[in-house]
Amino acid sequence: LDSLPSKYIIPRPVDVWLPENYSKEKQYAVLYMHDGQMLFDSSSTWNKQEWKVDEWASKLMHQEKLKDFIVVAIHNIPEERWQDLFPQKAFEYLSDEDKILINKQKTNINQNNKLNGDNYLKFLVEELMPIIHSEFSTYKNKENTFVMGSSMGGLMSMYAICEYPKVFGGAACMSTHWPGAQPIENNPLPWAIF
């Protein structure tokens, strides 16, 4: 789905991976994954590495270790990744002094950039999920709806299941970036996230 329009976030590609035996005659669980451009094809990634999600999912389903599922891979916009994937409400737990400290970090975080994690989740739940359910043969219950990511995507996966516990039945938070931004001494972000 190229440049999927949204009223909440900057349009971006979304890849949908289907298993070999995909059939409209049965239903599939859905795994929503962040940083979608990193999942399937090393020739198109910034570091020439991939997660090999398609290979591993196929192998594990073939071995009947997992139920059949599809993967919905939401690409990031590099300049907006931190704003989209940071657990937005956590920032509200910072003191004004700590907000200034975090905003001074040499990252994409600055006072001109608006946190957008809540809108990212609205895009996922309100805009993307209905398209996936209408275009593909999927279960719609939380027991078959999962979210997964690594680093900042791990933070967003944790945030997704906390904000939408009636939507997501599980979250895989790989190598979660608990510092929340660049590690600094007396970092207030992990406690704010917690």
Side-chain angles (χ1 to χ4, degrees):
L1 308 168
D2 190 31
S3 291
L4 195 65
S6 171
K7 64 182 177 183
Y8 296 115
I9 61 172
I10 293 173
R12 66 206 55 215
V14 175
D15 297 326
V16 179
W17 175 82
L18 306 174
E20 277 178 32
N21 65 347
Y22 178 81
S23 166
K24 287 277 192 182
E25 306 304 312
K26 59 184 284 188
Q27 290 182 302
Y28 295 82
V30 184
L31 175 61
Y32 293 89
M33 295 186 72
H34 314 293
D35 299 319
Q37 65 265 46
M38 302 300 295
L39 305 180
F40 307 114
D41 182 7
S42 63
S43 68
S44 65
T45 64
W46 65 270
N47 63 0
K48 302 303 176 206
Q49 296 179 15
E50 63 173 291
W51 280 44
K52 297 186 179 187
V53 169
D54 46 345
E55 290 95 329
W56 281 105
S58 296
K59 181 178 180 177
L60 292 169
M61 281 188 269
H62 180 71
Q63 294 173 350
E64 298 182 354
K65 292 186 177 181
L66 296 175
K67 64 174 98 176
D68 288 343
F69 66 97
I70 70 171
V71 176
V72 178
I74 306 157
H75 287 225
N76 70 53
I77 307 294
E79 302 78 27
E80 299 293 323
R81 184 172 182 263
W82 190 86
Q83 289 81 1
D84 283 347
L85 297 182
F86 184 80
Q88 185 170 340
K89 288 185 176 74
F91 214 75
E92 296 168 12
Y93 288 102
L94 296 175
S95 68
D96 289 341
E97 182 180 286
D98 285 341
K99 286 177 185 174
I100 291 168
L101 174 70
I102 297 303
N103 285 331
K104 285 183 179 176
Q105 291 191 55
K106 294 179 182 172
T107 63
N108 285 337
I109 311 163
N110 64 54
Q111 292 168 349
N112 297 324
N113 289 335
K114 180 179 160 239
L115 290 174
N116 209 31
D118 290 345
N119 280 335
Y120 179 87
L121 286 178
K122 285 180 186 175
F123 159 75
L124 201 160
V125 172
E126 297 176 18
E127 295 177 332
L128 181 57
M129 283 185 174
I131 292 170
I132 297 303
H133 292 317
S134 70
E135 297 291 322
F136 301 96
S137 184
T138 60
Y139 291 108
K140 296 172 179 65
N141 59 355
K142 81 178 227 175
E143 291 78 16
N144 287 287
T145 306
F146 304 92
V147 62
M148 180 176 182
S150 175
S151 188
M152 290 300 294
L155 279 180
M156 180 47 69
S157 297
M158 178 269 312
Y159 193 53
I161 200 167
C162 290
E163 290 293 295
Y164 291 92
K166 294 181 181 175
V167 173
F168 297 103
C173 308
M174 310 286 289
S175 188
T176 305
H177 188 58
W178 293 115
Q182 288 181 334
I184 55 174
E185 195 171 322
N186 300 317
N187 185 353
L189 286 179
W191 291 108
I193 293 165
F194 178 72

